[in-house]
Amino acid sequence: MKLEHIELNQLKPSLINVRKNGDTSGQDLIPSLKALGVIQPLLVRPNCEGFEVIAGQRRLNALQAIAKTEAVDAVPCIIMEDGDDAKAIEASLTENIARLPMDELNQYEAFAALKTRGRSVSDIAAHFGVTERLVNQRLVLANLHTPIRNAYRKEEIDGEILRLLTLASKRQQQDWYKLFKEGNEPPTWKLKSWLFGGEEIPTSHALFDLDDYKGAITSNLFGEDSYFADPDLFWEHQSQAIAALIEELEDDGWRDIILLDVGERWSRWDHVDTPKDKGGKVYIEVCSDGEVKAHKGLLSEKEAKRLALVEAGEKAPKPERPELTISTQNYLDLHRHAAVRTQLLKHPQTALRLCAAQIIAGSSLWDVRADKQKANTDAIKASLETNTAQAAFAEAKAQILELLEIKNDPDRPLVCHIPHYGRGLNAHAVFAKLMTLKDEEVMEIIAYLAAETLPSGRGMVEGLGVMLDVDMAACWKPDEVFFDLLRDKEAINAMLADIGGKTVAKGNLTQTAKVQKSIIQDFLSGAGREKVENWMPRYMAFPMTAYTKRGGVSAIEAFKAVKKHYSV
């Protein structure tokens, strides 16, 4: 059996186990489900329409009733496998759930007590027979201001307010509690807006010298509190100050500094204290009202576990979050592949030697097959078709086929025209035709075949790109697909610094990745910015270089493995 969260619309009652007597509506469960969520998982098994519920019909009916008026999260379910005993599983669940306190705060305290003894979230979930999501939800209550927890215990506030307040910073919780004691707190339906929208930015939250701020500042009648009247100008100055803070932390020896998005929720409870010399990171939290907090010397539990494995001599794990997504790397691989193999056509002597090397040492493509240039998405495929090197390569193929008197099929590579691929060609006839051609013509064909069988995304492309001094600017321009695929905010900000200068990059450090990418595009098009001509990202250079220190870029790793064989 396995525990998973399944969307409500995928769950149906089982026809073999529908209750025949008593109230099956589950109406009495609705208040508990709204307050605490689904604590005891439903017991289900797959069927052709999703999953049928073997045990938990009343919970299912109650959830379906709730879903008519409000959104319902995916439901925790235990999926039975062939051979599982439903009665045994249900009995085990009932025994475990019986140990679980029914009050949210009691659950938090029970989970937190086990957490302090070194038990992981998965261990705690197994101990009580609940999902890891439920454990995580309860542990978030550690962020609550103590008086707020006490107010909940006294039933002065309800569970909905309690959960919303877990999203707030400590200062916001204190401000809310002060209003609550005065009877002036925002109503529940306005609480989230109060926490995250339309907040005034107090001058006390500025990291920069107020003398440098040229905008207006407002204050109350007593002059005790003052606020920035121009939020955009504030954020420009605050971004510069945050950039300076990051530089100070780097100078102080912190290697990994994570800048969270403005208003992004961050929980201290699921991080472990770790010194900087052991890989501890700094998390910079930026509240929506401008408050900035630097949490130093921390690692997520998962990272801490990986670090422990490395120290124990285990195999080093892959980076948790590589700089580039798989699709972005695929995009770069294909465009670089197109440029290198087209350049190879101009160097038949090199291509001939490449063929010889692959014959002697073997190659992943030397069956012989052409690289399929498989694109992960239709957008990447369409982008590749705009690459001028790709068009030049297709034209070279057409000329060779004409030379060999073979009918051109644009959808098939040249090397597929061999007998065991069933293309109907006679190898002897092709050989006889080759014998009539000049050496220069044969060398051009050899160069083309070597290029067509050059595997994309491998060290050979990177090495040849360096050796042949491939100029990506001659065949590729930054397009919408390239920018759509960029996801890493740290890399995007570094890219903005390359094209627009450090001042612009620092001034927009807290902006979203989407905004920063649009600024880069403005520089390229000259829309409201000084136009930058012939800009190439580091990802398109030979050799490729990264924008962050995290690694995980396949082309860079591929070249590292073969770098000693090429002069850089």
Side-chain angles (χ1 to χ4, degrees), residues 43-90:
L43 190 60
V44 305
R45 67 183 180 188
N47 67 14
C48 59
E49 299 177 348
F51 296 86
E52 58 179 350
V53 178
I54 305 299
Q57 181 186 342
R58 295 182 69 244
R59 274 164 282 159
L60 174 65
N61 291 340
L63 289 168
Q64 289 173 335
I66 294 171
K68 293 178 181 178
T69 58
E70 57 187 84
V72 174
D73 290 338
V75 183
C77 298
I78 288 181
I79 302 175
M80 294 178 57
E81 298 176 356
D82 291 341
D84 283 346
D85 186 327
K87 289 185 178 180
I89 295 173
E90 192 171 10

Side-chain angles (χ1 to χ4, degrees), residues 263-277:
E264 181 180 348
R265 179 179 171 184
W266 185 83
S267 299
R268 169 67 177 83
W269 64 264
D270 60 352
H271 289 75
V272 178
D273 290 322
T274 308
K276 72 173 73 168
D277 59 350

Side-chain angles (χ1 to χ4, degrees), residues 377-394:
T377 67
D378 290 338
I380 295 175
K381 182 179 179 181
S383 172
L384 184 64
E385 291 173 356
T386 66
N387 187 304
T388 57
Q390 190 78 348
F393 199 77

Side-chain angles (χ1 to χ4, degrees), residues 489-543:
K489 191 173 177 181
E490 182 183 353
I492 292 167
N493 188 257
M495 199 176 289
L496 178 56
D498 273 358
I499 194 169
K502 291 184 178 180
T503 300
V504 173
K506 290 179 180 178
N508 290 279
L509 189 63
T510 56
Q511 294 287 357
T512 63
K514 181 178 180 180
V515 169
Q516 294 190 55
K517 286 191 284 186
S518 70
I519 295 172
I520 293 172
Q521 289 173 296
D522 287 344
F523 274 110
L524 294 176
S525 65
R529 305 270 182 176
E530 184 176 350
K531 188 172 183 179
V532 176
E533 301 283 355
N534 299 322
W535 174 78
M536 282 287 113
R538 299 178 196 174
Y539 300 138
M540 286 299 186
F542 285 97

Side-chain angles (χ1 to χ4, degrees), residues 161 220 226 273 440 501:
I161 291 176
N220 61 20
S226 56
D273 290 322
E440 292 80 8

Side-chain angles (χ1 to χ4, degrees), residues 85-140:
D85 186 327
K87 289 185 178 180
I89 295 173
E90 192 171 10
S92 175
L93 282 175
T94 302
E95 180 183 352
N96 286 353
I97 293 293
R99 301 198 300 266
L100 180 67
M102 293 307 295
D103 177 87
E104 283 180 303
L105 287 178
N106 285 333
Q107 290 170 13
Y108 153 67
E109 289 169 354
F111 297 163
L114 291 175
K115 196 82 167 54
T116 57
R117 294 180 214 161
R119 300 285 290 275
S120 68
V121 170
S122 58
D123 290 339
I124 296 170
H127 177 78
F128 287 105
V130 296
T131 65
E132 292 183 25
R133 179 185 292 185
L134 178 71
V135 176
N136 283 325
Q137 288 173 340
R138 298 302 182 259
L139 286 175
V140 168

